[in-house]
Amino acid sequence: MKDVEEFRVIWAHGDVLALCLSLRSSCLSVCLSDCLSVSQVILSAFQQQKEVKLKSSPADLVTETDQRVEKLLISAISSRFPQHRFIGEESVAAGERLQLTDSPTWIIDPIDGTVNFVHRFPFVAISIAFTVNKQTEFGIVYSCVDDKLFTAQRGRGAFLNGAPLHASGQEDVSRCVVVTEIGAERDDLALSTLTSNICRLLQLPVHGVRALGTAAVDMVQVAVGGADVYYHVGMHCWDIAAAAIIVQEAGGVVMDTDGSVFDMMSRRVLAASSATVARRIAEVIRAFPCRRDDEETAGSGV
């Protein structure tokens, strides 16, 4: 195949950096094309009645469209890059092992915001991140209904429909809009922790707390500058892997909710307009216990 042959020629000349950049560019081009193509499957099903199944909780849903879109994406990408690995929400829910290695890996959420999709609430997105050596090289979040394509490549900035994105840079927490989600965790400890976090934020105070029902679209609001903070406990790597690099490339800050280094497998994330705001929010919010995504029996997502 043409892509593979090009990589072999570059590798033969020993230019590892050029190899990585060529691979990233080729993968991004393929991903954009496939993402826009499968979005038509989502849009055509959006207004239709759906057959819904439950996964980990009454708020953790899956439809035939989720499964179909993921299969289409994996099939299309693997036909071009047969040696690459995949972490897909619905594949993991079906029992496939979740393992992030140094190999080129695609992290896919075929429909982020399945509850929204079921109810025709107009915020649903395809989220795809591409990693090499466990480092995210690019991310794509495509909000299908409103036709907003968020993209970022490591070291090359973030964009919305081709226009550069910039986080707000806000450093005064009292002037912040915060975005978060309740998520699929509905046990007493999770719910009490989530609601008390919101109460503490409102008492800081902040300008307001919002939720759109899709972690990926929530998080990129920080990159757009429409929100200044996004935090979430209990989400999964496929929810936020792509959005994280988009926020970072827009000049935002991404870390763990306790202020430590961001780990996409930890199921905790805090994104903010500035390090000052991020640290202040981290002092206030608390996390409830979550099994890591890369532990053997990790579940499914929002």
Side-chain angles (χ1 to χ4, degrees), residues 21-301:
L21 292 176
S22 178
L23 174 62
R24 182 170 72 181
S25 176
S26 183
C27 288
L28 178 58
S29 177
V30 166
C31 186
L32 285 169
S33 175
D34 292 339
C35 183
L36 293 173
S37 177
V38 300
S39 70
Q40 296 305 309
V41 176
I42 297 173
L43 291 173
S44 65
F46 187 73
Q47 295 295 341
Q48 308 301 317
Q49 192 70 29
K50 291 91 170 173
E51 182 179 342
V52 181
K53 297 179 181 179
L54 301 184
K55 293 193 286 187
S56 66
S57 80
D60 188 10
L61 312 182
V62 64
T63 70
E64 183 275 337
T65 306
D66 294 78
Q67 297 166 335
R68 181 183 175 195
V69 168
E70 182 167 308
K71 287 176 182 176
L72 287 170
L73 284 168
I74 292 176
S75 176
I77 295 168
S78 61
S79 70
R80 296 168 174 90
F81 306 105
Q83 302 304 313
H84 289 191
R85 300 172 63 92
F86 295 88
I87 296 172
E89 175 179 3
E90 306 312 332
S91 301
V92 173
E96 193 168 295
R97 184 183 180 193
L98 192 162
Q99 184 178 27
L100 182 63
T101 70
D102 289 338
S103 299
T105 302
W106 301 76
I107 303 175
I108 300 172
D109 190 340
I111 301 181
D112 189 46
T114 299
V115 173
N116 287 355
F117 177 66
V118 168
H119 289 273
R120 297 189 287 276
F121 190 73
F123 295 99
V124 297
I126 300 170
S127 176
I128 305 174
F130 178 68
T131 70
V132 179
N133 295 325
K134 300 187 181 73
Q135 179 172 255
T136 305
E137 294 294 331
F138 67 75
I140 293 173
V141 173
Y142 183 42
S143 184
C144 308
V145 178
D146 52 359
D147 192 28
K148 291 183 177 179
L149 179 65
F150 301 85
T151 61
Q153 293 186 66
R154 184 168 59 85
R156 295 193 176 185
F159 301 86
L160 168 56
N161 292 344
L165 289 175
H166 303 285
S168 70
Q170 180 61 253
E171 295 194 347
D172 183 349
V173 73
S174 70
R175 301 181 67 182
C176 287
V177 168
V178 179
V179 187
T180 190
E181 291 292 338
I182 297 299
E185 304 286 345
R186 298 297 168 89
D187 61 87
D188 290 344
L189 177 58
L191 289 175
S192 63
T193 303
L194 292 168
T195 54
S196 62
N197 280 340
I198 293 173
C199 288
R200 283 193 294 271
L201 287 170
L202 292 172
Q203 291 168 346
L204 275 176
V206 296
H207 271 176
V209 178
R210 303 288 184 266
L212 298 176
T214 152
V217 177
D218 282 340
M219 192 169 179
V220 295
Q221 300 313 306
V222 176
V224 173
D228 308 289
V229 177
Y230 167 74
Y231 75 92
H232 200 162
V233 178
M235 80 299 153
H236 295 274
C237 60
W238 45 76
D239 295 313
I240 46 81
I245 191 172
I246 293 169
V247 170
Q248 290 167 328
E249 288 296 322
V253 175
V254 180
M255 61 178 64
D256 193 291
T257 54
D258 65 5
S260 61
V261 175
F262 171 60
D263 173 1
M264 75 168 74
M265 295 294 159
S266 72
R267 301 181 63 197
R268 299 186 303 271
V269 67
L270 168 58
S273 55
S274 66
T276 301
V277 163
R279 287 192 293 267
R280 185 69 183 98
I281 297 295
E283 292 172 356
V284 173
I285 60 175
R286 302 290 180 265
F288 54 85
C290 291
R291 184 187 295 274
R292 289 179 56 86
D293 268 337
D294 50 6
E295 290 185 27
E296 284 293 328
T297 58
S300 57

